[in-house]
Amino acid sequence: QVQLMESGGGSVPAGGSLRLSCVASGRDVSENCMAWFRHIPGRERERVASISASGDIDYGDSRTGHTESRFIISRDNAGTRTSLYLQMANLRPDDSGTYYCATREFRGCFRSPDEYPYWGQGTQVTVAA
């Protein structure tokens, strides 16, 4: 069983930055797609960014506010555990929500959260106007 643990959320003013981290344990996920999703109240859970096992990166669409210009996803497969990161800059109040790390047991990634069976508990991001 895969366990995912996020950290790094918090409260920042608009224009601020945060770096989210996720550590995977329990099983080797170095050959898995890994992704960041977020849930904003009143909206469906949406993909922020994903990174395949080979390093192919996709960022969210217009629903997520063109995050490719502000967010950077990366992963580190070194050592015995895989870590996933999300560097977020120029944060806006509409970025506020709960951010989740997720993985699926395939190398490639999909946009839909239904394709990801493993999830962390989430970390809260609050951006004040």
Side-chain angles (χ1 to χ4, degrees), residues 10-128:
S11 296
V12 295
S17 300
L18 283 172
R19 185 176 190 244
L20 305 184
S21 299
C22 170
V23 177
S25 62
R27 289 169 61 177
D28 181 5
V29 298
S30 61
E31 297 298 313
N32 289 21
C33 160
M34 298 195 74
W36 288 101
F37 285 80
R38 69 184 182 187
H39 180 237
I40 297 172
R43 291 162 57 171
E44 295 182 354
R45 190 172 295 192
E46 56 194 21
R47 184 184 65 174
V48 175
S50 60
I51 182 167
S52 73
S54 57
D56 296 324
I57 291 173
D58 289 299
Y59 288 99
D61 57 21
S62 59
R63 296 174 303 164
T64 50
H66 298 288
T67 54
E68 69 274 13
S69 64
R70 302 182 294 120
F71 295 178
I72 299 174
I73 187 173
S74 62
R75 68 188 292 165
D76 181 3
N77 292 328
T80 59
R81 293 185 177 184
T82 291
S83 296
L84 181 71
Y85 304 99
L86 186 69
Q87 180 68 49
M88 305 188 292
N90 193 22
L91 283 162
R92 309 184 310 214
D94 61 2
D95 292 317
S96 299
T98 304
Y99 285 67
Y100 297 91
C101 173
T103 190
R104 59 192 305 269
E105 292 180 305
F106 296 92
R107 294 178 61 84
C109 299
F110 285 89
R111 176 184 295 179
S112 172
D114 296 338
E115 298 290 338
Y116 297 79
Y118 303 107
W119 293 82
Q121 293 299 307
T123 185
Q124 182 67 34
V125 171
T126 302
V127 185

